[in-house]
Amino acid sequence: MTSTLIWIVVALVAIGLYLSWTAGRLDRLHSRIDAARAALDAQLLRRASVAQELATSGVLDPAASMVLYEAAHAARQAEEDNREVAESDLSQALRAVFGEVQQVEAVQAVPGGEDAARELAQAVRRVPMARRFHNDAVRAARALRRHRKVRWFRLAGHAPFPLAFEMDDEAPVALADRPGT
């Protein structure tokens, strides 16, 4: 009788440790999501700021400046519910304005244009990477939260269900393949 009771206690302790480890892992995944979201927000803000700065610099023709400025401003001011759409619109505006290499070369030709084009190219390339890191963390947390043990024992606590950030982040061809950036 005593040995059975000891084995039951050992089994319960092992199960408790396993559940505690799983809850800790889930907590670390949620922290990773928060950090990745902050990095994504920073990259999106940087891209919008650089685009807005370039639109107001007078380097682009007036129509391109207006399109780029409006999209960048909308992306910077978007509420959380409309953020994905606004960022996708900025991506489309960037592709429309910088769809041809001649436009990038025109920006590079003015004083300070080389730095502005390089900074925009870097910002445009970093957004998809940051989004991928965020969505990978979300995917891992969702996979763990789907397990029965997590649902039955409510190991996620009151943490909201993680949502991926879906947007059009395709870079303009003229900016995406710039050597040396």
Side-chain angles (χ1 to χ4, degrees):
M1 174 79 169
T2 307
S3 66
T4 305
L5 189 58
I6 291 173
W7 283 111
I8 291 173
V9 169
V10 168
L12 289 175
V13 167
I15 290 170
L17 287 173
Y18 178 71
L19 291 175
S20 174
W21 175 81
T22 303
R25 181 172 169 229
L26 191 57
D27 185 50
R28 287 188 301 276
L29 282 171
H30 283 133
S31 296
R32 190 172 128 203
I33 289 170
D34 291 342
R37 181 58 189 244
L40 175 62
D41 287 342
Q43 291 304 322
L44 291 171
L45 180 63
R46 181 171 183 254
R47 180 181 77 151
S49 297
V50 170
Q52 201 169 20
E53 183 180 315
L54 195 58
T56 58
S57 68
V59 181
L60 303 171
D61 63 271
S65 291
M66 186 59 88
V67 167
L68 193 57
Y69 180 82
E70 290 288 328
H73 181 70
R76 289 182 71 180
Q77 300 298 320
E79 296 292 325
E80 194 60 36
D81 296 343
N82 301 329
R83 182 100 188 260
E84 294 171 346
V85 173
E87 294 295 345
S88 294
D89 290 345
L90 178 56
S91 296
Q92 292 169 359
L94 285 167
R95 281 197 307 273
V97 172
F98 295 105
E100 298 175 5
V101 178
Q102 292 84 5
Q103 188 70 11
V104 176
E105 291 170 351
V107 169
Q108 291 172 334
V110 299
E114 183 69 37
D115 291 336
R118 185 180 330 100
E119 190 175 356
L120 182 61
Q122 288 173 350
V124 164
R125 270 200 319 270
R126 287 180 180 162
V127 166
M129 288 188 293
R131 190 175 74 85
R132 220 166 319 160
F133 288 140
H134 175 266
N135 287 349
D136 287 346
V138 166
R139 195 171 9 265
R142 282 181 169 185
L144 185 58
R145 287 181 73 152
R146 273 192 224 106
H147 288 259
R148 275 186 238 136
K149 64 181 176 271
V150 173
R151 289 192 320 261
W152 288 351
F153 292 102
R154 300 173 196 250
L155 299 180
H158 297 289
F161 194 74
L163 299 173
F165 193 86
E166 296 301 332
M167 64 173 269
D168 173 11
D169 60 5
E170 184 181 341
V173 177
L175 290 175
D177 298 324
R178 289 182 25 90
T181 58

